[in-house]
Amino acid sequence: MNASTANQIYFRQAADELDLSDTMRSLLLTAKREVQVQVAAELDSGAVATFIGYRVQHNDARGPLKGGLRYHPEVDLDEVRSLAALMTWKTAVVNIPYGGAKGGIALDPATLSTRELERVTRSFVDAIHDLFGPDVDIPAPDMGTSAEVMAWIMNQYGKYRGFAPACVTGKPVEYHGIPGREEATGRGVGIVTLKLLSRLGRAIQGTTVAIQGFGNVGTHTAKFLRDAECRVVAISDASGGYHRADGIDVLEALRYAREHRGRLEGFVGGDRISNVELLALDCDVLIPAALGGVLTAANAEAVQAPIIVEAANSPVTPEADIVFAQKNVTVLPDILANAGGVTASWFEWVQNRQHYQWGVNRVRQELDRILGEAFEQVWQLSSSRQVSLRTAAYMLGVGRVARATVLGGIT
Ligand code: NAD
């Protein structure tokens, strides 16, 4: 099953509960615009490489389009389309005034030098500068892209339109970004994990957690939960996993990764396990924070954790979701669990537009408030309608977009 078909299954479950008309369903399922462009750039060798870039603008009924930019070899139109729709529901779940979009370039950033990546990024902006901007569509980081990439985007966009820091978020703090944005997705994952534990009547202290992925989201999630006195028993990245029943020394792992170009390869603070073994570990909370589609019908039965928090986008396939429901595993869905990043992106955009700066404490307080409210609304809806947290989150998000579509009018 491809990624967009999978997300449409979740959409339909919510649309049935909301009793949406067929007209509204097709309006909400069809992307407003899908663009594929040639991205040509000179390599350090002098040769010219050609890549394919995508931007899918799914829905802007609630505000300007918003969504990340992914650099990964497996990026294709279907994946970007599915991630764009997820952004529409995500911004609506946390009730921030945006629609949903996503973009990407099919490339492996590890094979390019920094200068080559910069030329690729600027070439992509040259191809799509008419399609994005502060009031239109605002990109942000995702897998394989960073604050530095966002700085190049702002700079290149400025060559066409002049100074416009709000055209992209997730920028470096020293270049019109804000403190608290980089940590926000992982911090948000941590915030809603604690709220879920407390709603389920479980103690926080000593809760055992396994985290797949040790990039932006995985590292900040690990740090936040460690600070909250949870026990992070396993971490992993593309090089494999590391397990320690007494708890991984998260600060040591962070230090190690920082000193090794962000990678855990060679880390000795835990026994080596595979990423497959990590997903099946005996722990309280499993947090996939790397790729999509990692929990499937083939491995869902083996999962022992009673709670799964979707820090990555779409890590649980619909088939696995059914198995988890049968096993009584609580799944906190991506459109709520990882919404902290886009929420802090909104704070960055607001400050860029006002040419004003908040302190990091205000960013954290506002993040906590917005995610807390969204979590409670999803929890209440799930209880009152006797549906899963995923269906409740989709009902909240899809319902808000449908309402805005009616209020704004269609033509
Ligand atoms: P990242 O590029 O910073 O880190 C990705 C991590 O996953 C790395 O540690 C990498 O080694 C690891 N990884 C890659 N392939 C793997 C594999 N096969 N098995 C195990 N680990 C593997 O990316 P990120 O920004 O942390 O994003 C992670 C996930 O979170 C993605 O699904 C992304 O869409 C989602 N997300 C990110 C943000 C954000 O603000 N960065 C916001 C919302 C959702």
Side-chain angles (χ1 to χ4, degrees):
M1 184 187 302
N2 61 27
S4 9
T5 311
N7 284 332
Q8 286 180 14
I9 291 176
Y10 298 141
F11 170 88
R12 289 208 178 86
Q13 286 165 355
D16 289 347
E17 288 289 332
L18 293 167
D19 212 11
L20 287 190
S21 68
D22 288 346
T23 310
M24 183 57 79
R25 287 173 197 233
S26 54
L27 267 174
L28 298 189
L29 279 176
T30 313
K32 193 181 150 73
R33 183 190 273 142
E34 301 186 343
V35 180
Q36 177 180 319
V37 294
Q38 180 198 65
V39 183
E42 191 179 332
L43 301 178
D44 295 341
S45 65
V48 173
T50 309
F51 304 98
I52 307 287
Y54 305 92
R55 188 74 183 169
V56 173
Q57 300 178 329
H58 175 250
N59 186 293
D60 62 357
R62 300 184 65 261
L65 299 143
K66 186 87 189 83
L69 190 60
R70 179 176 286 198
Y71 288 178
H72 192 273
E74 280 159 32
V75 163
D76 62 20
L77 183 57
D78 181 73
E79 182 186 70
V80 177
R81 184 183 285 146
S82 129
L83 291 167
L86 270 189
M87 285 307 297
T88 302
W89 318 135
K90 191 180 299 184
T91 54
V93 168
V94 286
N95 211 4
I96 59 178
Y98 285 135
K102 201 81 179 188
I105 306 180
L107 59 77
D108 182 355
T111 62
L112 296 177
S113 71
T114 305
R115 285 289 144 255
E116 288 170 339
L117 269 180
E118 177 178 346
R119 286 194 289 269
V120 168
T121 303
R122 289 185 186 276
S123 169
F124 186 52
V125 173
D126 290 341
I128 66 161
H129 69 89
D130 274 342
L131 302 178
F132 76 103
D135 287 317
V136 184
D137 180 0
I138 306 115
D142 191 76
M143 261 177 92
T145 56
S146 59
E148 194 177 25
V149 174
M150 302 304 119
W152 297 329
I153 292 177
M154 177 190 147
N155 185 272
Q156 191 68 10
Y157 182 85
K159 291 179 182 169
Y160 293 96
R161 304 291 167 97
F163 180 70
C167 73
V168 63
T169 58
K171 301 177 292 294
V173 176
E174 312 86 332
Y175 196 70
H176 308 284
I178 60 163
R181 166 63 185 90
E182 198 199 76
E183 68 179 20
T185 307
R187 189 178 180 85
V189 171
I191 290 169
V192 291
T193 301
L194 299 189
K195 293 198 185 296
L196 179 62
L197 287 169
S198 120
R199 271 296 189 176
L200 293 172
R202 301 176 75 111
I204 287 167
Q205 198 177 28
T207 290
T208 53
V209 183
I211 303 174
Q212 181 183 60
F214 210 59
N216 173 290
V217 181
T219 53
H220 288 292
T221 300
K223 168 115 184 4
F224 184 90
L225 291 176
R226 172 244 176 228
D227 291 348
E229 298 188 11
C230 293
R231 184 148 45 100
V232 178
V233 293
I235 54 175
S236 78
D237 67 5
S239 74
Y242 305 82
H243 174 234
R244 189 156 181 262
D246 293 347
I248 299 271
D249 183 339
V250 173
L251 298 185
E252 183 53 37
L254 289 170
R255 209 168 12 248
Y256 186 89
R258 230 182 351 258
E259 286 165 7
H260 294 81
R261 300 182 67 223
R263 291 174 65 90
L264 286 169
E265 178 109 64
F267 177 61
V268 291
D271 298 329
R272 286 304 308 262
I273 55 170
S274 67
N275 266 294
V276 174
E277 287 168 321
L278 180 140
L279 295 174
L281 270 185
D282 182 10
C283 62
D284 299 315
V285 183
L286 172 63
I287 307 187
L291 303 175
V294 291
L295 291 164
T296 65
N299 62 5
E301 280 298 348
V303 169
Q304 296 189 66
I307 299 170
I308 297 171
V309 177
E310 291 187 322
N313 283 315
S314 312
V316 174
T317 66
E319 295 92 342
D321 213 41
I322 292 169
V323 176
F324 292 139
Q326 285 161 354
K327 287 174 57 167
N328 239 349
V329 172
T330 304
V331 180
L332 194 63
D334 46 11
I335 56 172
L336 173 60
N338 67 31
V342 72
T343 303
S345 272
W346 176 46
F347 302 155
E348 181 178 331
W349 182 77
V350 164
Q351 292 168 67
N352 286 156
R353 303 200 65 144
Q354 296 183 340
H355 304 285
Y356 186 73
Q357 283 186 330
W358 306 354
V360 70
N361 288 341
R362 180 164 175 202
V363 170
R364 288 177 175 170
Q365 264 167 21
E366 289 284 316
L367 186 68
D368 197 69
R369 179 181 68 76
I370 288 177
L371 292 181
E373 281 172 12
F375 176 86
E376 271 314 307
Q377 287 168 350
V378 170
W379 181 268
Q380 297 300 345
L381 199 53
S382 156
S383 309
S384 64
R385 296 289 293 263
Q386 292 291 298
V387 293
S388 68
L389 290 172
R390 187 187 309 280
T391 301
Y394 268 77
M395 285 171 71
L396 194 61
V398 170
R400 281 179 175 151
V401 181
R403 182 83 186 122
T405 304
V406 171
L407 289 171
I410 289 156
T411 51

